[in-house]
Amino acid sequence: MEPRIGVYVCHCGSNIAATVDVEKVAEYARTLPAVVVSRDYKFMCSDPGQDLIKKDIRELGVNRVVVASCSPLMHEPTFRRAVQEAGLNPYYFQMANVREHCSWVTESRKEATEKARALVSAAVRRVYFHQPLESKEVPVHPDTLVVGGGIAGIQAALEIANSGHKVCLVEREPSIGGHMMQLDKTFPTLDCSACILTPKMSMVGAHPSIELLTYSEIDTVSGYVGNFRVKIRKKARYVDVDRCNGCGTCITKCPVKVDSEFDEKLSKRKAIYVPFAQAVPNVTTIDREHCTYFLKGKCRACEKFCERNAINFEQEDELIEIQVGNVILTTGYRLFDPSAIKEYGYGRLDNVLTSLEFERMVNSAGPTSGHILLKNGKEPESIAIIHCVGSRDVKYHEYCSRVCCMYGMKFAHLLLEHVQGAKVYEFYIDIRSPGKGYEEFYNRVQREGAVFFRGRPGEVTDVALTPEEKGKLIVQFEDTLVGKQRRLPVDMVVLCSGIEPQSDSQEMAHKFNISIGKEKFFTEKHPKLDPVATMTDGVFIAGCCQGPRDIPDTVAQASAAAARVLALINKGKVEIEADTAVVDEDRCSGCRVCNLLCPYNAITYIEKDKVSRINEALCKGCGTCVAGCPSGAITHRHFTNEQIDAELQGILA
Amino acid sequence: MSDIPHTTFLDEVAALPACGKINECIQCGVCSGSCSTATHWEYPPRKVIAMVRAGMKDELLKSNSIWFCVSCYLCTARCPRDIKPANIVHGLESIAIKEGYKPPTTTTTMYRSFAQSIVDHGRVYEFGFMLKYFLRTNPFAALKMLPMAIQLFRHGRMPLAPKQVKGKEELTTIINKMGEGGDR
Ligand SMILES: Cc1cc2nc3c(=O)[nH]c(=O)nc-3n(C[C@H](O)[C@H](O)[C@H](O)COP(=O)(O)OP(=O)(O)OC[C@H]3O[C@@H](n4cnc5c(N)ncnc54)[C@H](O)[C@@H]3O)c2cc1C
Ligand code: SF4
Ligand code: SF4
Ligand code: SF4
Ligand code: SF4
Ligand code: SF4
């Protein structure tokens, strides 16, 4: 079939036409080999624009199409669809980007027009050599993996499971719940955090469609959208979860006391423990690192007293493999460790607390039964709350953590409520309260009597300069609205530490083949238009693993990710791009260089045929292997040597 | 106000060595909250930056602010935006001197005596430099320093005769080269 090329130059309103002489470019295209028609039009992506193409295909026998317009990222799918609707293979299409690459970045009309001509010439010569490619469909496995059992993971798992589809929820701690479980009240409505979370947690525990794997971690991941194979390591908890009923007898008998992670080390737990009373699942776990039996070879008191014979010291880590169609990552965040900021004295001065320590202290189920106490057991009379600790600071995290202004003000409210006559001071740079009811909450806390000083303190010290500073923590700051350096003696300082990515976020991103940003949060596919998808199809993200956010935003994102997964499950199949690489097995020497090069692990060596083969479903068409193969045995189906040569000649023509 | 004075003053200060980030200051007050001497300043370091940006050159350079900086660099170590306020403050001092503002303190005399000692000996000759400084400012104040001077002398920390560094000639060449760019 002799190529008959149609060229369509778009004005994009005035986006292109104001800088590029579109008529000239269309006229020039008419002179190029095999071009049978060339037009310019105001908006090629509009329905009438697409109809122009379709009509020419039907009436003029056009069988190759070039559109000179915007970036293929925007409209390549649109035009491929139009071409396909008119009966052509969608790969008989090429786009020349004369907007982002030309009109938007060139000032002179002459130069812009010249460049547009070159780009069109390249596209025309390239499309001449295009081959029809068939995209493939693969079935989507209906099960879903959710990693991380904080509120994001809980929400996503429930949404999917409630539609009747199976979910495997993997949590590395002994219980689900995440950070929200540690919080006392939640801003701005002051609902009790555990009261609104635990019903959801028990729904997860009891749901027939949810397989809950706690104390478990992701080992390896392979496969692609619709068909992932995931190995999960169920860590030995030395307790048979089917037998243990959480009675706690063993806990009372265990002689070893360890700092409680859940209470931020403000209380003790035992070596055999349940992290908190409402844990899901409500079973015990033996902390091998602290258990006397594992350390010294004797004790086994828990075993002796367990009436249900649930203790099993012989248990080992178990590797299980599951198959799922989609994955949602909800691994959450870690609190910034303020001991890095020496001048605030955390870890050095008594009564300087982190925000999570404060959450535990103010919680009635916490280590002090909800009493706010100094190290000496007395109630504080005055408390300073310092904002932006580790956030908005180029030395630590440049970003704003988004929740600490609000939780800082929540602390003020709780303090004024819990401690009679307390004086509470908020030290802030800017109050960030953009959310429903948030500014009103700020106003409420002011009304309740919290004192706001604008200025991030320079330091917190116990070195007194006056008698009244003796025995106090002194906050030295500039009251910037007055313009004076001042010193304020208080009894307690709470640091509003920022939210940072989990320490293993890079490793997790690598396992699931997704990217992470400069701050090491997972990167979304598009920051505005695709915030829960990732560059890897079938892998979605929600909650604080993508960036700092509050609970309402986390929940909304989790539901959005679940909706995306359900759409794929409902469709039942996904289309795999056809522009992949292929190995010419006659030329392949079996050197396996490509196996190591492929960033998507798409190439495997076939032992019996002594050649490498590419899995089309995994190949993203990046071209790395094509360039790397020493035998020149790999071709990219939509970037053949012929096509690239022709494109270069077109540019230079 | 029809003209926009701040643009020129801000540009002038931003062009000083290592002061280019002044426009990125978020006015958090960490510098002033940390500053060892800010309680003596008419306008604390954060406000100095705000005044530069507001173009309040005369008001700022006439004030006692900037002259009290003791180069402890706490502001610079702690600033969340890496503004380096200490550099800005010292830069303002040099602008003020060039433009003939009279410093309210003896800081400049101290700087000059210090610098002269390096020019003369290639190193700081404490005895000579302090002597010069007190003679130029307040000779009676030197009496108060006498006990400390004696202590230092006893421990061999303050020799009475100056020592020259090795390679004094090369150093002089370097200093002269620097001097071509402006006054010391
Ligand atoms: C002091 C403080 C107070 C706050 N107060 C409020 C408030 O009042 N209102 C509000 O709206 N927001 C508040 N927030 C914000 C709130 O905590 C978050 O929005 C919310 O907890 C985010 O939930 P998440 O599920 O994304 O993350 P997380 O709660 O961190 O959950 C992540 C879960 O994933 C698990 N996990 C992590 N890595 C892995 C892995 N590799 N494999 C398996 N599992 C893994 C973790 O163990 C954890 O259970 C506060 C935050 C702080 C720090
Ligand atoms: S064997 Fe270990 S977990 Fe059990 S009671 Fe003894 S120390 Fe505790
Ligand atoms: S939310 Fe408030 S306290 Fe937290 S980093 Fe942002 S401005 Fe600072
Ligand atoms: S083109 Fe890229 S993704 Fe495809 S097999 Fe080659 S290296 Fe892997
Ligand atoms: S510490 Fe830095 S950012 Fe903050 S006011 Fe001072 S110069 Fe500006
Ligand atoms: S270097 Fe100067 S301005 Fe900065 S904190 Fe020290 S005395 Fe203050």
Side-chain angles (χ1 to χ4, degrees):
Chain A
M1 192 171 57
E2 199 45 38
R4 293 173 61 80
I5 304 173
V7 178
Y8 304 86
V9 185
C10 183
H11 299 202
C12 194
S14 60
N15 272 308
I16 297 168
T19 328
V20 172
D21 187 337
V22 284
E23 280 151 36
K24 269 248 177 66
V25 175
E27 199 181 299
Y28 163 75
R30 249 168 250 139
T31 66
L32 295 170
V35 172
V36 294
V37 58
S38 170
R39 305 178 191 279
D40 61 275
Y41 188 71
K42 217 159 180 57
F43 290 107
M44 278 310 298
C45 60
S46 66
D47 279 347
Q50 296 181 45
D51 286 342
L52 277 182
I53 302 177
K54 292 183 192 169
K55 200 159 158 255
D56 288 348
I57 292 174
R58 292 201 189 100
E59 294 177 3
L60 301 177
V62 164
N63 59 16
R64 302 275 197 286
V65 173
V66 169
V67 176
S69 57
C70 50
S71 158
L73 274 179
M74 307 283 302
H75 277 307
E76 191 174 58
T78 314
F79 296 123
R80 277 192 178 163
R81 212 181 313 117
V83 168
Q84 190 170 25
E85 279 166 14
L88 279 186
N89 183 285
Y91 288 90
Y92 279 139
F93 168 76
Q94 179 65 19
M95 208 159 168
N97 184 353
V98 296
R99 194 178 73 182
E100 284 86 341
H101 287 180
C102 191
S103 68
W104 279 356
V105 291
T106 316
E107 272 173 18
S108 136
R109 190 171 168 84
K110 186 164 159 289
E111 284 175 10
T113 307
E114 222 162 88
K115 184 168 181 187
R117 280 167 55 141
L119 292 170
V120 167
S121 153
V124 165
R125 277 168 232 255
R126 177 190 218 283
V127 84
Y128 189 93
F129 292 107
H130 276 196
Q131 299 289 330
L133 301 177
E134 294 307 327
S135 38
K136 297 200 173 52
E137 279 184 344
V138 294
V140 174
H141 194 286
D143 294 0
T144 306
L145 168 70
V146 177
V147 188
I151 179 59
I154 290 171
Q155 179 74 12
L158 285 174
E159 294 271 14
I160 295 171
N162 285 342
S163 78
H165 293 289
K166 278 215 162 338
V167 176
C168 176
L169 174 58
V170 175
E171 165 59 54
R172 69 173 166 201
E173 298 298 327
S175 169
I176 55 170
H179 283 104
M180 187 174 166
M181 195 59 212
Q182 288 181 288
L183 309 181
D184 179 46
K185 301 277 181 343
T186 53
F187 62 74
T189 44
L190 301 171
D191 319 68
C192 145
S193 193
C195 312
I196 57 176
L197 181 62
T198 47
K200 281 182 179 274
M201 287 166 59
S202 41
M203 268 160 81
V204 166
H207 208 295
S209 293
I210 297 180
E211 185 186 0
L212 178 58
L213 298 177
T214 51
Y215 213 50
S216 301
E217 281 169 6
I218 302 300
D219 191 61
T220 54
V221 185
S222 63
Y224 48 90
V225 55
N227 303 274
F228 291 104
R229 279 182 176 281
V230 185
K231 281 213 182 90
I232 299 163
R233 175 176 302 275
K234 285 173 74 177
K235 291 179 283 185
R237 63 204 306 165
Y238 306 105
V239 171
D240 183 339
V241 293
D242 296 326
R243 288 176 180 232
C244 173
N245 66 357
C247 71
T249 309
C250 54
I251 300 176
T252 50
K253 300 298 176 188
C254 176
V256 183
K257 284 189 176 161
V258 187
D259 282 341
S260 154
E261 296 85 356
F262 180 74
D263 274 340
E264 295 291 318
K265 306 197 171 147
L266 295 177
S267 75
K268 299 282 181 195
R269 61 161 169 86
K270 296 291 185 67
I272 184 165
Y273 71 112
V274 179
F276 48 89
Q278 309 95 316
V280 172
N282 182 23
V283 294
T284 53
T285 302
I286 294 181
D287 167 3
R288 192 191 161 113
E289 273 174 39
H290 294 97
C291 162
T292 316
Y293 174 68
F294 281 110
L295 292 175
K296 302 208 177 108
K298 51 176 185 264
C299 177
R300 298 179 85 131
C302 48
E303 188 183 39
K304 205 175 310 154
F305 289 95
C306 177
E307 286 171 7
R308 298 174 61 93
N309 284 326
I311 311 289
N312 175 8
F313 289 102
E314 308 308 313
Q315 219 176 53
E316 282 177 5
D317 285 8
E318 196 186 332
L319 263 185
I320 56 167
E321 188 177 89
I322 59 165
Q323 211 179 338
V324 294
N326 293 282
V327 178
I328 304 179
L329 298 179
T330 49
T331 49
Y333 66 95
R334 185 171 69 157
L335 196 73
F336 170 77
D337 176 2
S339 55
I341 306 180
K342 298 270 182 298
E343 58 267 29
Y344 287 165
Y346 178 75
R348 178 169 50 87
L349 300 174
D350 282 347
N351 305 317
V352 178
L353 306 184
T354 69
S355 47
L356 275 179
E357 287 170 349
F358 184 83
E359 291 277 4
R360 292 316 301 146
M361 201 183 249
V362 77
N363 187 265
S364 55
T368 53
S369 309
H371 297 292
I372 298 167
L373 300 176
L374 299 169
K375 264 275 161 61
N376 64 12
K378 287 199 191 127
E379 271 197 343
E381 285 167 14
S382 49
I383 304 95
I385 298 168
I386 302 182
H387 290 211
C388 300
V389 175
S391 311
R392 302 185 67 191
D393 190 327
V394 294
K395 293 189 295 307
Y396 310 103
H397 299 300
E398 196 178 346
Y399 55 82
C400 159
S401 288
R402 278 181 66 180
V403 294
C404 14
C405 273
M406 287 305 296
Y407 77 57
M409 296 193 289
K410 171 179 79 179
F411 293 172
H413 165 85
L414 294 173
L415 278 163
L416 291 165
E417 192 180 67
H418 280 65
V419 187
Q420 272 288 312
K423 291 197 190 70
V424 185
Y425 306 94
E426 298 269 346
F427 291 89
Y428 69 99
I429 308 175
D430 306 289
I431 292 291
R432 300 204 161 156
S433 51
K436 193 169 177 183
Y438 287 15
E439 185 69 12
E440 295 91 321
F441 186 77
Y442 173 17
N443 197 174
R444 168 180 178 176
V445 175
Q446 287 179 308
R447 221 181 303 127
E448 289 170 347
V451 178
F452 285 75
F453 284 125
R454 192 193 172 282
R456 208 189 95 184
E459 60 195 48
V460 177
T461 171
D462 59 351
V463 180
L465 298 184
T466 62
E468 60 158 359
E469 289 181 356
K470 270 250 160 59
K472 298 269 187 180
L473 291 168
I474 303 105
V475 180
Q476 185 177 302
F477 69 107
E478 187 203 359
D479 187 338
T480 64
L481 299 179
V482 176
K484 283 267 174 299
Q485 188 190 86
R486 298 172 63 180
R487 285 166 67 89
L488 180 81
V490 293
D491 297 322
M492 180 181 269
V493 172
V494 183
L495 303 176
C496 294
S497 274
I499 279 180
E500 63 183 21
Q502 295 281 7
S503 50
D504 65 346
S505 71
Q506 194 150 8
E507 201 185 311
M508 288 295 282
H510 189 72
K511 279 185 181 160
F512 287 92
N513 222 333
I514 62 172
S515 28
I516 50 170
K518 155 173 129 207
E519 299 284 0
K520 300 206 163 54
F521 288 111
F522 298 151
T523 309
E524 61 286 350
K525 188 164 186 178
H526 190 285
K528 288 147 207 155
L529 302 180
D530 215 347
V532 296
T534 64
M535 286 309 234
T536 298
D537 295 336
V539 179
F540 300 89
I541 49 180
C544 287
C545 61
Q546 188 243 3
R549 55 178 43 80
D550 56 19
I551 296 165
D553 284 6
T554 297
V555 170
Q557 245 195 340
S559 297
R564 294 293 296 276
V565 167
L566 285 173
L568 278 164
I569 297 175
N570 269 2
K571 206 168 164 210
K573 53 194 186 220
V574 278
E575 205 167 277
I576 304 284
E577 277 279 346
D579 50 352
T580 53
V582 60
V583 177
D584 178 347
E585 295 186 1
D586 291 337
R587 293 177 78 172
C588 172
S589 69
C591 72
R592 307 191 205 186
V593 164
C594 57
N595 295 212
L596 299 173
L597 283 177
C598 175
Y600 302 97
N601 295 321
I603 317 182
T604 35
Y605 179 69
I606 312 295
E607 197 63 59
K608 87 171 161 45
D609 299 331
K610 304 258 179 292
V611 290
S612 291
R613 203 166 286 159
I614 295 173
N615 181 336
E616 286 176 13
L618 283 178
C619 172
K620 295 268 173 207
C622 72
T624 308
C625 58
V626 181
C629 176
S631 311
I634 312 182
T635 307
H636 190 296
R637 290 191 168 94
H638 206 47
F639 283 85
T640 63
N641 287 348
E642 215 176 20
Q643 290 167 356
I644 295 170
D645 259 4
E647 196 167 5
L648 288 175
Q649 278 173 23
I651 289 267
L652 299 171
Chain B
M1 229 173 18
S2 56
D3 60 336
I4 314 167
H6 76 269
T7 47
T8 48
F9 189 35
L10 177 60
D11 288 349
E12 186 182 357
V13 175
L16 294 168
C19 294
K21 289 193 173 179
I22 181 165
N23 209 31
E24 293 169 44
C25 164
I26 51 171
Q27 291 287 300
C28 67
V30 163
C31 50
S32 318
S34 305
C35 182
S36 337
T37 53
T39 43
H40 303 281
W41 300 33
E42 270 172 74
Y43 313 114
R46 173 202 55 84
K47 196 158 183 186
V48 166
I49 286 170
M51 289 170 80
V52 169
R53 301 205 297 203
M56 298 164 75
K57 182 171 181 175
D58 192 50
E59 207 170 331
L60 176 58
L61 298 186
K62 260 191 204 146
S63 75
N64 76 4
S65 291
I66 70 182
W67 302 103
F68 280 116
C69 172
V70 293
S71 302
C72 69
Y73 279 86
L74 283 173
C75 54
T76 302
R78 293 174 183 172
C79 168
R81 282 287 175 100
D82 195 24
I83 308 297
K84 308 195 193 310
N87 292 4
I88 292 172
V89 166
H90 289 313
L92 287 166
E93 283 173 336
S94 70
I95 293 181
I97 293 169
K98 262 185 222 155
E99 302 198 0
Y101 285 89
K102 212 179 127 33
T105 64
T106 54
T107 322
T108 43
T109 315
M110 167 80 100
Y111 289 166
R112 284 179 202 277
S113 312
F114 190 93
Q116 195 58 49
S117 169
I118 292 179
V119 171
D120 292 345
H121 311 293
R123 66 198 298 279
V124 178
Y125 161 46
E126 285 88 355
F127 185 67
F129 131 64
M130 288 312 283
L131 201 67
K132 231 176 232 163
Y133 168 68
F134 283 120
L135 285 176
R136 282 176 182 171
T137 53
N138 179 2
F140 296 105
L143 292 178
K144 272 204 276 180
M145 302 296 278
L146 209 56
M148 181 159 39
I150 291 169
Q151 284 284 336
L152 284 168
F153 178 71
R154 275 224 196 113
H155 288 88
R157 290 268 167 241
M158 199 168 75
L160 294 181
K163 272 201 199 112
Q164 299 276 353
V165 285
K166 274 195 221 138
K168 172 75 202 313
E169 294 72 32
E170 285 93 326
L171 188 70
T172 309
T173 317
I174 294 172
I175 292 173
N176 288 342
K177 196 85 194 160
M178 279 163 52
E180 283 167 19
D183 57 2
R184 280 197 286 278

